[in-house]
Amino acid sequence: MFQLTAAAAAQVLKAAHQGGTEGMSLRLAAAQQPDGEIVYRMGFDDYTEDDIRLTCEGIAVVMAPEEVPLLDQAIMDYVEIEPEQFHFIFLNPKDPNYKPPFDH
């Protein structure tokens, strides 16, 4: 099942507040490139009757049924890549570039 970290959820709520999209769902989409890499898209949207709906860390997440195979087992996080540069990242074991998180 898809997961959001607490850091990602907090940033999604902040973005929804700043963009005036509170109450809308976070829509996720994924596409696999010819080399196997998975490219992700996200934005705020209303859900449709056919959507798969989840609640992750208090965030309503929606995706089209065809997105589920690529997003299942993925984790969306919000991390500091460089000092003061934060980005959403997807940790997905289905992506050939995936590296498991370092366990302490």
Side-chain angles (χ1 to χ4, degrees):
M1 176 186 291
F2 178 81
Q3 296 178 35
L4 278 178
T5 65
Q11 186 60 28
V12 167
L13 287 174
K14 183 178 177 184
H17 177 72
Q18 289 174 341
T21 54
E22 293 106 332
M24 297 183 81
S25 299
L26 176 66
R27 178 169 297 279
L28 298 175
Q32 197 154 31
Q33 303 299 300
D35 66 357
E37 179 184 9
I38 300 174
V39 177
Y40 303 92
R41 296 179 317 231
M42 63 182 169
F44 295 103
D45 197 7
D46 293 317
Y47 65 86
T48 68
E49 187 177 300
D50 295 335
D51 282 334
I52 303 301
R53 293 182 271 176
L54 313 165
T55 301
C56 303
E57 292 288 325
I59 304 294
V61 176
V62 296
M63 60 188 80
E66 61 270 15
E67 308 291 341
V68 173
L70 287 178
L71 291 168
D72 182 43
Q73 301 178 27
I75 300 170
M76 185 174 130
D77 200 356
Y78 188 70
V79 299
E80 188 172 21
I81 304 290
E82 299 281 333
E84 300 299 313
Q85 292 186 4
F86 290 83
H87 297 278
F88 286 106
I89 63 167
F90 288 83
L91 303 169
N92 190 340
K94 296 177 182 178
D95 191 308
N97 298 319
Y98 172 76
K99 291 183 178 43
F102 178 73
D103 291 326
H104 297 274

XYZ file of all heavy atoms in Angstrom:
815
model
N 0.829 -1.170 0.000
C 0.000 0.000 0.000
C 0.888 1.253 0.000
O 1.939 1.280 0.595
C -0.910 -0.003 1.228
C -1.721 1.262 1.320
S -2.701 1.453 2.830
C -3.917 0.205 2.603
N 0.426 2.285 -0.665
C 1.127 3.565 -0.726
C 1.164 4.208 0.657
O 0.221 4.095 1.432
C 0.421 4.496 -1.721
C 1.043 5.842 -1.803
C 2.176 6.036 -2.570
C 0.527 6.906 -1.097
C 2.782 7.284 -2.626
C 1.122 8.153 -1.149
C 2.252 8.332 -1.922
N 2.262 4.924 0.948
C 2.397 5.602 2.238
C 2.949 7.011 2.060
O 3.715 7.273 1.132
C 3.368 4.846 3.145
C 2.934 3.471 3.527
C 3.997 2.798 4.376
O 4.677 3.431 5.168
N 4.146 1.511 4.197
N 2.550 7.887 2.974
C 3.127 9.224 3.099
C 3.855 9.275 4.436
O 3.360 8.733 5.416
C 2.027 10.285 3.173
C 1.363 10.794 1.927
C 0.274 11.789 2.300
C 2.345 11.455 1.008
N 4.991 9.927 4.476
C 5.635 10.150 5.761
C 4.963 11.351 6.445
O 4.262 12.147 5.797
C 7.138 10.440 5.602
O 7.288 11.683 4.898
C 7.850 9.310 4.868
N 5.210 11.494 7.717
C 4.665 12.631 8.457
C 5.181 13.947 7.873
O 4.438 14.928 7.769
C 5.014 12.513 9.936
N 6.448 13.980 7.468
C 7.025 15.195 6.876
C 6.333 15.550 5.557
O 6.043 16.717 5.289
C 8.528 15.019 6.652
N 6.066 14.547 4.731
C 5.376 14.795 3.458
C 3.954 15.276 3.712
O 3.482 16.212 3.063
C 5.384 13.539 2.600
N 3.265 14.652 4.655
C 1.889 15.044 4.961
C 1.837 16.492 5.443
O 0.960 17.258 5.016
C 1.302 14.101 6.002
N 2.777 16.870 6.297
C 2.806 18.247 6.797
C 3.010 19.242 5.655
O 2.370 20.296 5.605
C 3.908 18.402 7.850
N 3.876 18.904 4.715
C 4.137 19.803 3.596
C 2.945 19.850 2.639
O 2.644 20.910 2.077
C 5.409 19.393 2.846
C 5.819 20.356 1.769
C 6.096 21.764 2.278
O 6.492 21.971 3.427
N 5.897 22.759 1.428
N 2.264 18.731 2.447
C 1.060 18.717 1.606
C 0.004 19.636 2.219
O -0.621 20.436 1.512
C 0.521 17.279 1.437
C -0.881 17.283 0.844
C 1.471 16.463 0.563
N -0.197 19.553 3.543
C -1.167 20.428 4.207
C -0.768 21.891 4.064
O -1.615 22.753 3.818
C -1.281 20.056 5.689
C -2.011 18.754 5.997
C -1.913 18.432 7.474
C -3.456 18.814 5.537
N 0.516 22.185 4.208
C 1.005 23.552 4.061
C 0.754 24.058 2.636
O 0.292 25.179 2.440
C 2.494 23.609 4.395
C 3.098 24.972 4.342
C 4.575 24.932 4.737
C 5.227 26.285 4.617
N 6.669 26.212 4.915
N 1.040 23.229 1.639
C 0.835 23.616 0.235
C -0.649 23.832 -0.058
O -1.017 24.766 -0.783
C 1.416 22.555 -0.696
N -1.506 22.986 0.506
C -2.950 23.135 0.299
C -3.432 24.455 0.894
O -4.223 25.177 0.279
C -3.697 21.951 0.907
N -2.936 24.782 2.066
C -3.316 26.039 2.714
C -2.840 27.237 1.888
O -3.600 28.178 1.637
C -2.744 26.091 4.133
C -3.038 27.372 4.842
N -4.294 27.691 5.302
C -2.239 28.430 5.139
C -4.265 28.896 5.850
N -3.016 29.367 5.765
N -1.580 27.196 1.455
C -1.014 28.306 0.681
C -1.708 28.458 -0.674
O -1.856 29.568 -1.173
C 0.481 28.097 0.469
C 1.283 28.276 1.728
C 2.757 27.927 1.559
O 3.142 27.226 0.624
N 3.576 28.407 2.479
N -2.124 27.344 -1.275
C -2.747 27.393 -2.592
C -4.257 27.498 -2.574
O -4.904 27.507 -3.629
N -4.846 27.545 -1.383
C -6.299 27.646 -1.292
C -7.008 26.373 -1.741
O -8.144 26.438 -2.216
N -6.354 25.234 -1.595
C -6.950 23.968 -2.047
C -7.278 23.041 -0.873
O -7.369 21.831 -1.050
C -6.012 23.251 -3.042
O -4.719 23.111 -2.444
C -5.897 24.020 -4.341
N -7.468 23.621 0.327
C -7.860 22.801 1.467
C -9.143 22.052 1.133
O -10.020 22.566 0.464
C -8.109 23.644 2.723
C -6.895 24.297 3.269
C -6.842 25.781 3.001
O -7.418 26.240 2.004
O -6.209 26.474 3.781
N -9.207 20.824 1.588
C -10.393 20.014 1.344
C -10.314 19.197 0.063
O -11.137 18.317 -0.157
N -9.362 19.488 -0.790
C -9.196 18.703 -2.008
C -8.258 17.537 -1.727
O -7.457 17.582 -0.798
C -8.641 19.563 -3.147
C -9.564 20.685 -3.553
S -8.913 21.612 -4.961
C -9.415 20.539 -6.295
N -8.364 16.512 -2.533
C -7.504 15.338 -2.383
C -6.174 15.560 -3.089
O -6.083 16.348 -4.034
C -8.186 14.111 -3.003
O -9.400 13.841 -2.342
N -5.161 14.846 -2.620
C -3.871 14.831 -3.300
C -3.926 13.731 -4.353
O -4.087 12.561 -4.028
C -2.736 14.543 -2.311
C -1.341 14.417 -2.917
C -0.887 15.755 -3.493
C -0.357 13.911 -1.878
N -3.867 14.127 -5.625
C -3.896 13.143 -6.708
C -2.469 12.783 -7.083
O -1.633 13.651 -7.301
C -4.620 13.670 -7.943
C -4.601 12.639 -9.095
C -5.517 13.003 -10.215
N -6.909 13.049 -9.817
C -7.695 11.987 -9.697
N -7.225 10.770 -9.919
N -8.957 12.131 -9.345
N -2.211 11.472 -7.154
C -0.909 10.963 -7.556
C -1.037 10.222 -8.873
O -2.036 9.551 -9.130
C -0.367 10.003 -6.497
C -0.128 10.603 -5.122
C 0.298 9.521 -4.154
C 0.909 11.699 -5.181
N 0.009 10.335 -9.678
C 0.077 9.604 -10.943
C 1.522 9.163 -11.138
O 2.447 9.812 -10.655
C -0.369 10.488 -12.103
N 1.675 8.045 -11.813
C 3.016 7.521 -12.081
C 3.037 6.924 -13.477
O 2.051 6.371 -13.941
C 3.386 6.456 -11.051
N 4.173 7.056 -14.136
C 4.352 6.477 -15.467
C 5.729 5.845 -15.539
O 6.711 6.433 -15.068
C 4.209 7.548 -16.542
N 5.786 4.664 -16.102
C 7.070 3.976 -16.243
C 7.661 4.301 -17.610
O 7.013 4.162 -18.641
C 6.896 2.476 -16.077
C 8.206 1.778 -15.806
C 8.013 0.489 -15.038
O 7.009 -0.170 -15.178
N 8.996 0.131 -14.242
N 8.907 4.764 -17.588
C 9.627 5.126 -18.801
C 10.193 3.863 -19.466
O 10.270 2.811 -18.839
C 10.762 6.095 -18.457
C 10.285 7.359 -17.758
C 9.324 8.153 -18.602
O 9.648 8.585 -19.696
N 8.110 8.344 -18.098
N 10.623 3.950 -20.738
C 11.174 2.774 -21.420
C 12.356 2.131 -20.688
O 12.534 0.921 -20.747
C 11.602 3.317 -22.789
C 10.706 4.493 -23.020
C 10.481 5.094 -21.658
N 13.133 2.948 -19.954
C 14.282 2.389 -19.221
C 13.877 1.812 -17.861
O 14.717 1.348 -17.103
C 15.378 3.435 -19.039
C 14.971 4.601 -18.150
O 13.805 4.658 -17.692
O 15.826 5.469 -17.904
N 12.590 1.861 -17.539
C 12.087 1.319 -16.285
C 11.904 2.353 -15.193
O 11.207 2.100 -14.217
N 12.538 3.517 -15.339
C 12.398 4.567 -14.331
C 10.934 4.980 -14.209
O 10.195 5.023 -15.190
C 13.241 5.781 -14.730
C 13.125 6.924 -13.751
C 13.881 8.167 -14.187
O 14.378 8.231 -15.334
O 13.957 9.093 -13.367
N 10.516 5.307 -13.009
C 9.151 5.746 -12.772
C 9.158 7.251 -12.536
O 9.933 7.764 -11.730
C 8.526 5.007 -11.578
C 8.509 3.497 -11.859
C 7.105 5.513 -11.312
C 8.055 2.642 -10.701
N 8.299 7.957 -13.260
C 8.150 9.399 -13.147
C 6.826 9.660 -12.434
O 5.810 9.034 -12.750
C 8.162 10.062 -14.538
C 7.944 11.560 -14.432
C 9.459 9.751 -15.261
N 6.843 10.592 -11.478
C 5.683 10.856 -10.638
C 5.138 12.253 -10.898
O 5.878 13.178 -11.180
C 6.073 10.746 -9.160
C 6.669 9.410 -8.828
C 8.040 9.195 -8.891
C 5.858 8.341 -8.483
C 8.590 7.963 -8.610
C 6.397 7.099 -8.198
C 7.764 6.920 -8.266
O 8.306 5.695 -8.001
N 3.819 12.365 -10.748
C 3.150 13.664 -10.814
C 2.172 13.719 -9.645
O 1.650 12.685 -9.212
C 2.389 13.822 -12.125
C 3.288 13.836 -13.354
C 2.438 13.962 -14.600
N 1.273 13.080 -14.483
C 0.886 12.202 -15.395
N 1.520 12.093 -16.509
N -0.166 11.446 -15.210
N 1.930 14.921 -9.168
C 0.968 15.085 -8.093
C 0.380 16.477 -8.141
O 0.971 17.406 -8.687
C 1.617 14.825 -6.740
C 2.721 15.765 -6.379
S 3.410 15.297 -4.801
C 4.853 16.328 -4.809
N -0.807 16.590 -7.593
C -1.491 17.871 -7.523
C -2.781 17.696 -6.752
O -3.170 16.576 -6.413
N -3.446 18.795 -6.477
C -4.710 18.730 -5.757
C -5.851 18.596 -6.756
O -5.855 19.243 -7.798
C -4.875 19.971 -4.878
C -3.847 20.026 -3.782
C -2.751 20.865 -3.879
C -3.968 19.213 -2.673
C -1.794 20.907 -2.881
C -3.020 19.245 -1.656
C -1.929 20.090 -1.775
N -6.816 17.753 -6.413
C -7.890 17.446 -7.353
C -9.082 16.904 -6.576
O -8.944 16.429 -5.445
C -7.383 16.385 -8.352
C -8.232 16.279 -9.605
O -9.145 17.099 -9.804
O -7.974 15.355 -10.399
N -10.231 16.950 -7.201
C -11.403 16.257 -6.670
C -11.315 14.805 -7.127
O -10.684 14.502 -8.134
C -12.688 16.892 -7.209
C -12.877 18.309 -6.681
O -12.634 18.527 -5.481
O -13.264 19.182 -7.474
N -11.948 13.924 -6.392
C -11.912 12.520 -6.797
C -13.097 12.191 -7.690
O -14.116 12.878 -7.675
C -11.859 11.594 -5.572
C -13.081 11.624 -4.690
C -14.184 10.818 -4.957
C -13.140 12.447 -3.580
C -15.301 10.841 -4.155
C -14.247 12.474 -2.759
C -15.326 11.668 -3.059
O -16.433 11.700 -2.257
N -12.921 11.160 -8.497
C -13.997 10.662 -9.340
C -14.484 9.334 -8.768
O -13.832 8.728 -7.907
C -13.526 10.453 -10.793
O -12.593 9.371 -10.820
C -12.877 11.706 -11.359
N -15.590 8.876 -9.247
C -16.194 7.636 -8.762
C -15.265 6.436 -8.944
O -15.256 5.521 -8.135
C -17.510 7.400 -9.505
C -18.312 6.235 -8.986
C -19.627 6.113 -9.722
O -20.423 7.072 -9.680
O -19.849 5.050 -10.332
N -14.459 6.454 -9.998
C -13.585 5.318 -10.296
C -12.255 5.349 -9.531
O -11.525 4.369 -9.527
C -13.274 5.273 -11.796
C -14.520 4.992 -12.633
O -15.473 4.387 -12.095
O -14.527 5.382 -13.807
N -11.923 6.463 -8.906
C -10.638 6.596 -8.228
C -10.493 5.632 -7.052
O -11.473 5.284 -6.388
C -10.456 8.019 -7.685
C -10.062 9.015 -8.747
O -9.459 8.610 -9.754
O -10.357 10.207 -8.565
N -9.262 5.270 -6.800
C -8.901 4.569 -5.579
C -8.619 5.657 -4.550
O -7.852 6.587 -4.816
C -7.640 3.691 -5.798
C -7.860 2.702 -6.944
C -7.230 2.999 -4.505
C -9.008 1.747 -6.764
N -9.241 5.553 -3.382
C -9.087 6.577 -2.355
C -8.445 5.971 -1.109
O -8.837 4.902 -0.657
C -10.435 7.184 -1.996
C -11.025 7.970 -3.155
C -12.325 8.594 -2.782
N -13.405 7.648 -3.071
C -14.677 7.863 -2.794
N -15.037 8.957 -2.186
N -15.577 6.965 -3.094
N -7.448 6.677 -0.586
C -6.749 6.272 0.627
C -6.655 7.467 1.552
O -6.706 8.611 1.102
C -5.312 5.836 0.319
C -5.032 4.885 -0.814
C -3.558 4.909 -1.151
C -5.443 3.495 -0.395
N -6.436 7.198 2.815
C -6.083 8.248 3.756
C -4.729 7.870 4.335
O -4.571 6.789 4.898
C -7.131 8.391 4.868
O -8.393 8.681 4.269
C -6.755 9.516 5.827
N -3.751 8.740 4.130
C -2.386 8.509 4.604
C -1.972 9.685 5.473
O -1.947 10.822 4.978
C -1.417 8.390 3.428
S -1.811 7.121 2.234
N -1.671 9.430 6.732
C -1.245 10.490 7.650
C -2.261 11.633 7.661
O -1.893 12.804 7.741
C 0.139 11.025 7.280
C 1.264 10.048 7.476
C 1.600 9.787 8.938
O 1.506 10.710 9.759
O 1.953 8.636 9.243
N -3.549 11.299 7.542
C -4.598 12.302 7.571
C -4.846 13.013 6.250
O -5.691 13.895 6.174
N -4.129 12.643 5.202
C -4.266 13.265 3.885
C -5.110 12.348 2.996
O -4.831 11.150 2.893
C -2.889 13.471 3.213
C -1.960 14.283 4.111
C -3.032 14.090 1.826
C -2.377 15.709 4.341
N -6.119 12.914 2.348
C -6.906 12.164 1.366
C -6.084 12.057 0.085
O -5.704 13.072 -0.503
C -8.227 12.866 1.092
N -5.790 10.830 -0.311
C -4.975 10.566 -1.502
C -5.843 9.820 -2.503
O -6.553 8.883 -2.138
C -3.731 9.712 -1.145
C -2.931 9.364 -2.380
C -2.862 10.432 -0.119
N -5.798 10.253 -3.757
C -6.546 9.570 -4.812
C -5.616 9.231 -5.966
O -4.616 9.912 -6.203
C -7.746 10.401 -5.329
C -8.775 10.620 -4.240
C -7.309 11.714 -5.928
N -5.960 8.146 -6.645
C -5.229 7.757 -7.848
C -6.173 6.962 -8.727
O -7.108 6.320 -8.239
C -3.971 6.956 -7.506
C -4.223 5.676 -6.755
S -2.719 4.858 -6.170
C -2.352 5.794 -4.704
N -5.934 7.011 -10.011
C -6.713 6.205 -10.942
C -6.337 4.736 -10.737
O -5.192 4.444 -10.363
C -6.428 6.639 -12.371
N -7.257 3.814 -10.952
C -6.955 2.397 -10.728
C -5.710 1.910 -11.468
O -4.960 1.091 -10.942
C -8.206 1.676 -11.211
C -9.298 2.680 -11.118
C -8.643 4.017 -11.366
N -5.462 2.446 -12.655
C -4.296 1.993 -13.430
C -2.970 2.461 -12.830
O -1.909 1.959 -13.198
C -4.410 2.414 -14.901
C -4.486 3.888 -15.140
C -5.902 4.459 -15.147
O -6.855 3.784 -14.693
O -6.052 5.599 -15.609
N -3.015 3.422 -11.896
C -1.806 3.910 -11.234
C -1.376 2.998 -10.080
O -0.211 3.007 -9.676
C -2.013 5.320 -10.676
C -2.543 6.331 -11.650
C -1.567 6.724 -12.739
O -0.354 6.517 -12.581
O -2.029 7.254 -13.758
N -2.308 2.230 -9.543
C -2.044 1.427 -8.343
C -0.848 0.494 -8.492
O -0.003 0.436 -7.593
C -3.313 0.671 -7.899
C -3.013 -0.296 -6.762
C -4.394 1.662 -7.487
N -0.698 -0.246 -9.593
C 0.444 -1.163 -9.668
C 1.804 -0.473 -9.517
O 2.725 -1.047 -8.934
C 0.310 -1.799 -11.053
C -1.151 -1.722 -11.351
C -1.591 -0.419 -10.745
N 1.945 0.760 -10.001
C 3.229 1.457 -9.880
C 3.390 2.146 -8.523
O 4.508 2.324 -8.053
C 3.386 2.492 -10.993
C 3.652 1.941 -12.387
C 3.728 3.077 -13.397
C 4.933 1.127 -12.418
N 2.293 2.544 -7.894
C 2.380 3.285 -6.639
C 2.275 2.394 -5.406
O 2.625 2.816 -4.306
C 1.309 4.373 -6.604
C 1.541 5.516 -7.584
C 0.308 6.397 -7.696
C 2.748 6.332 -7.172
N 1.798 1.163 -5.578
C 1.717 0.238 -4.457
C 3.124 0.004 -3.914
O 4.060 -0.190 -4.696
C 1.089 -1.081 -4.920
C 0.937 -2.068 -3.794
O 0.514 -1.657 -2.699
O 1.252 -3.255 -4.003
N 3.306 0.077 -2.627
C 4.585 -0.098 -1.925
C 5.472 1.142 -1.961
O 6.548 1.135 -1.372
C 5.367 -1.309 -2.444
C 4.634 -2.613 -2.320
C 5.435 -3.762 -2.899
O 6.661 -3.716 -2.940
N 4.744 -4.783 -3.364
N 5.063 2.197 -2.648
C 5.869 3.424 -2.693
C 5.634 4.249 -1.428
O 4.564 4.193 -0.819
C 5.522 4.252 -3.926
N 6.655 5.016 -1.055
C 6.572 5.931 0.069
C 6.949 7.316 -0.441
O 7.984 7.493 -1.081
C 7.547 5.522 1.197
C 7.218 4.125 1.706
C 7.525 6.558 2.328
C 8.278 3.555 2.636
N 6.094 8.288 -0.168
C 6.384 9.673 -0.529
C 6.902 10.380 0.715
O 6.270 10.336 1.769
C 5.118 10.359 -1.046
C 5.335 11.756 -1.559
S 3.801 12.372 -2.283
C 3.694 13.939 -1.474
N 8.059 11.014 0.592
C 8.679 11.708 1.716
C 9.003 13.137 1.296
O 8.959 13.482 0.110
C 9.957 10.958 2.134
C 10.406 11.276 3.551
O 9.796 12.135 4.226
O 11.392 10.652 3.996
N 9.311 13.963 2.260
C 9.718 15.342 2.023
C 11.025 15.522 2.772
O 11.066 15.459 4.005
C 8.648 16.308 2.535
C 8.881 17.743 2.161
C 8.747 18.157 0.838
C 9.222 18.688 3.113
C 8.949 19.478 0.488
C 9.415 20.014 2.775
C 9.279 20.398 1.460
O 9.482 21.721 1.102
N 12.121 15.693 2.027
C 13.452 15.663 2.629
C 14.299 16.845 2.169
O 14.061 17.432 1.118
C 14.192 14.341 2.300
C 13.433 13.137 2.840
C 14.413 14.192 0.806
N 15.319 17.119 2.970
C 16.291 18.161 2.625
C 17.392 17.526 1.788
O 18.187 16.739 2.274
C 16.868 18.769 3.911
C 17.729 19.971 3.679
C 18.127 20.647 4.981
O 18.074 19.992 6.051
O 18.492 21.829 4.927
N 17.396 17.822 0.489
C 18.372 17.260 -0.448
C 19.715 17.972 -0.298
O 20.767 17.355 -0.229
C 17.869 17.362 -1.901
C 16.511 16.676 -2.062
C 18.897 16.818 -2.881
C 16.517 15.180 -1.969
N 19.672 19.282 -0.301
C 20.829 20.148 -0.086
C 20.441 21.074 1.059
O 19.257 21.232 1.346
C 21.112 20.982 -1.351
C 21.447 20.176 -2.581
C 22.880 19.678 -2.583
O 23.727 20.322 -1.956
O 23.138 18.643 -3.207
N 21.394 21.727 1.701
C 21.029 22.640 2.786
C 19.951 23.638 2.348
O 20.099 24.307 1.318
C 22.348 23.342 3.121
C 23.401 22.341 2.738
C 22.844 21.653 1.511
N 18.851 23.656 3.098
C 17.723 24.557 2.855
C 16.976 24.278 1.549
O 16.212 25.124 1.086
C 18.163 26.026 2.904
C 18.770 26.442 4.226
C 17.814 26.309 5.397
O 16.654 26.746 5.283
O 18.228 25.740 6.431
N 17.206 23.135 0.916
C 16.484 22.765 -0.315
C 15.722 21.467 -0.060
O 16.303 20.384 -0.085
C 17.441 22.597 -1.489
C 18.069 23.877 -1.939
C 18.898 23.696 -3.198
O 18.951 22.629 -3.783
N 19.549 24.755 -3.628
N 14.426 21.615 0.177
C 13.566 20.476 0.485
C 12.793 20.070 -0.763
O 12.385 20.923 -1.557
C 12.590 20.836 1.604
C 13.255 21.004 2.932
C 13.859 22.206 3.278
C 13.292 19.957 3.839
C 14.474 22.368 4.508
C 13.900 20.110 5.073
C 14.493 21.312 5.413
N 12.586 18.762 -0.930
C 11.867 18.242 -2.091
C 11.062 17.008 -1.696
O 11.453 16.267 -0.788
C 12.852 17.827 -3.202
C 13.660 18.949 -3.741
N 13.201 19.811 -4.698
C 14.910 19.365 -3.437
C 14.133 20.702 -4.964
N 15.191 20.459 -4.208
N 9.979 16.799 -2.428
C 9.263 15.540 -2.301
C 10.063 14.478 -3.047
O 10.582 14.743 -4.141
C 7.860 15.621 -2.932
C 6.890 16.409 -2.110
C 6.499 17.672 -2.502
C 6.353 15.882 -0.938
C 5.588 18.406 -1.759
C 5.451 16.602 -0.177
C 5.067 17.868 -0.592
N 10.181 13.310 -2.462
C 10.814 12.181 -3.141
C 9.907 10.967 -3.003
O 9.074 10.898 -2.103
C 12.221 11.859 -2.574
C 12.134 11.435 -1.106
C 13.167 13.033 -2.767
C 13.409 10.807 -0.573
N 10.070 10.039 -3.915
C 9.333 8.782 -3.864
C 10.336 7.653 -3.709
O 11.283 7.549 -4.486
C 8.516 8.587 -5.150
C 7.337 9.513 -5.242
C 7.480 10.811 -5.707
C 6.073 9.084 -4.859
C 6.398 11.671 -5.784
C 4.985 9.928 -4.933
C 5.151 11.225 -5.398
N 10.133 6.848 -2.699
C 10.932 5.644 -2.482
C 10.066 4.484 -2.942
O 9.035 4.196 -2.339
C 11.287 5.502 -1.000
C 12.029 6.688 -0.397
C 12.096 6.575 1.110
C 13.416 6.788 -0.996
N 10.476 3.873 -4.041
C 9.633 2.851 -4.656
C 10.486 1.661 -5.080
O 11.307 1.767 -5.991
C 8.914 3.455 -5.872
C 7.844 2.554 -6.425
O 7.842 1.350 -6.186
N 6.928 3.129 -7.174
N 10.286 0.500 -4.444
C 11.083 -0.673 -4.808
C 10.847 -1.162 -6.234
O 11.619 -1.962 -6.740
C 10.660 -1.732 -3.778
C 9.400 -1.241 -3.180
C 9.367 0.242 -3.353
N 9.822 -0.645 -6.901
C 9.561 -1.033 -8.295
C 10.379 -0.216 -9.296
O 10.411 -0.522 -10.472
C 8.070 -0.893 -8.596
C 7.247 -1.847 -7.761
C 5.778 -1.664 -7.996
C 5.031 -2.623 -7.084
N 3.605 -2.497 -7.205
N 11.034 0.829 -8.810
C 11.858 1.682 -9.658
C 13.280 1.113 -9.699
O 13.854 0.835 -8.649
C 11.867 3.110 -9.089
C 12.477 4.114 -10.040
O 13.607 3.881 -10.528
O 11.827 5.142 -10.292
N 13.874 0.961 -10.885
C 15.218 0.389 -10.952
C 16.289 1.254 -10.266
O 17.349 0.760 -9.934
C 15.508 0.270 -12.458
C 14.555 1.202 -13.116
C 13.356 1.287 -12.214
N 16.006 2.525 -10.020
C 16.947 3.406 -9.335
C 16.766 3.419 -7.825
O 17.443 4.146 -7.120
C 16.800 4.846 -9.863
C 17.134 4.912 -11.344
O 18.074 4.298 -11.813
N 16.323 5.655 -12.076
N 15.834 2.625 -7.334
C 15.525 2.586 -5.907
C 16.704 2.062 -5.097
O 17.334 1.086 -5.462
C 14.304 1.681 -5.671
C 14.002 1.396 -4.219
C 13.411 2.350 -3.413
C 14.302 0.156 -3.663
C 13.113 2.089 -2.086
C 14.012 -0.110 -2.329
C 13.419 0.863 -1.549
O 13.138 0.582 -0.246
N 16.956 2.777 -4.003
C 17.953 2.304 -3.034
C 17.239 2.283 -1.685
O 16.686 3.307 -1.271
C 19.147 3.242 -2.988
C 19.964 3.180 -4.275
C 21.188 4.063 -4.160
C 22.073 4.030 -5.366
N 21.503 4.075 -6.647
N 17.242 1.146 -1.004
C 16.548 1.086 0.295
C 17.097 2.126 1.259
O 18.288 2.450 1.229
C 16.859 -0.310 0.811
C 17.304 -1.086 -0.378
C 17.883 -0.096 -1.340
N 16.218 2.680 2.097
C 16.679 3.648 3.093
C 17.703 2.996 4.027
O 17.622 1.816 4.316
C 15.426 4.052 3.862
C 14.287 3.495 3.102
C 14.793 2.446 2.182
N 18.627 3.810 4.475
C 19.645 3.329 5.406
C 18.998 3.122 6.762
O 18.374 4.020 7.298
C 20.765 4.370 5.508
C 21.846 3.996 6.488
C 22.752 2.990 6.172
C 21.961 4.628 7.705
C 23.746 2.639 7.063
C 22.936 4.292 8.600
C 23.842 3.286 8.279
N 19.104 1.939 7.318
C 18.580 1.646 8.639
C 19.649 1.921 9.681
O 20.777 1.497 9.534
C 18.134 0.175 8.742
C 16.896 -0.101 7.899
O 16.060 0.813 7.787
O 16.789 -1.212 7.358
N 19.258 2.617 10.722
C 20.198 2.933 11.810
C 20.207 1.804 12.807
O 19.276 1.222 13.157
C 19.818 4.225 12.497
C 19.903 5.404 11.560
N 21.058 6.094 11.352
C 18.981 5.973 10.772
C 20.830 7.063 10.489
N 19.581 7.004 10.108
